[in-house]
Amino acid sequence: KYRLSKSFNLCFAYTQLMFWSIYKESKPFQDVNFKPEVFYRFFERDGNFLKALDLGFLHTSNGKDSIDSRSLDRVFLRTSILTKLKRNYLGGQLKVYKIFNEDETNNDIQNYLGFRDLTLFLTDLLMIKDNSLNLHVRTFAGSKVIDFDKGGYEIGLTYQYGNSDFNPSL
């Protein structure tokens, strides 16, 4: 994410999600999703617990046209929390959203993505000098509050390395 102005809390963010077919001979990408977003951050606190509140717009597309096209737009409200536990941070984000402008090929996407996205994370599970290993868990429930047939779940590990000026992650 990038804050567009120091005097105004308008931010731009970009995420690209690629599914790689590593078991195929040429190892092509099976699917690619482009996700630009713009959001206004109402506040951001350094204090403990409630960290930020954002209102934004997110576009998702596979970048293809015609019958292969898949895209949708969402408006969202996202809140972030953070608390310190000894050397670790425990945090989370709850994003509630409304889907619109979905393609005809995904007119039932609300049944799968639902209306909310919840992410929890724990930092510094493993520390090696200035590098750290972090854990995150994400869920979106489909059209119901809990729906194991639709929706999705994600568990990930992120290894952060570098220094305070440049801090890439794997």
Side-chain angles (χ1 to χ4, degrees):
K1 83 173 161 63
Y2 179 75
R3 187 172 171 183
L4 298 172
S5 168
K6 289 183 180 182
S7 61
F8 192 65
N9 285 335
L10 187 64
C11 300
F12 173 79
Y14 178 79
T15 303
Q16 187 167 321
L17 178 64
M18 299 178 286
F19 296 96
W20 193 13
S21 295
I22 61 173
Y23 297 110
K24 303 251 176 152
E25 191 169 317
S26 69
K27 298 180 180 37
F29 286 103
Q30 195 70 24
D31 192 29
V32 180
N33 289 283
F34 307 94
K35 298 181 177 185
E37 71 182 80
V38 62
F39 62 92
Y40 181 78
R41 178 152 286 167
F42 289 99
F43 64 85
E44 185 167 22
R45 296 182 181 150
D46 290 331
N48 211 6
F49 199 66
L50 190 56
K51 183 81 175 144
L53 181 66
D54 304 328
L55 177 65
F57 170 80
L58 170 65
H59 173 73
T60 302
S61 173
N62 65 353
K64 297 181 180 181
D65 64 0
S66 190
I67 64 169
D68 295 328
S69 175
R70 204 174 57 254
S71 70
L72 60 98
D73 296 319
R74 289 181 258 188
V75 291
F76 64 85
L77 183 64
R78 175 177 52 213
T79 184
S80 302
I81 60 169
L82 187 67
T83 189
K84 188 159 178 63
L85 303 171
K86 297 184 182 177
R87 76 160 201 238
N88 310 85
Y89 283 97
L90 175 65
Q93 285 188 339
L94 174 63
K95 180 171 24 175
V96 292
Y97 48 81
K98 171 68 177 142
I99 295 174
F100 63 100
N101 287 344
E102 65 269 16
D103 282 343
E104 290 178 17
T105 55
N106 344 323
N107 58 10
D108 64 344
I109 195 71
Q110 183 82 37
N111 297 333
Y112 295 89
L113 290 180
F115 58 91
R116 64 120 176 112
D117 191 318
L118 176 65
T119 302
L120 300 173
F121 64 87
L122 183 63
T123 66
D124 304 334
L125 293 175
L126 179 65
M127 296 289 296
I128 304 169
K129 296 184 182 177
D130 291 334
N131 306 330
S132 66
L133 184 67
N134 305 321
L135 168 71
H136 77 269
V137 178
R138 177 178 167 242
T139 179
F140 50 95
S143 60
K144 300 176 184 172
V145 174
I146 297 175
D147 190 346
F148 292 106
D149 294 330
K150 298 176 183 167
Y153 309 91
E154 175 182 302
I155 297 174
L157 293 171
T158 305
Y159 181 69
Q160 290 184 305
Y161 59 96
N163 57 44
S164 61
D165 295 326
F166 183 68
N167 192 4
S169 301
L170 292 174

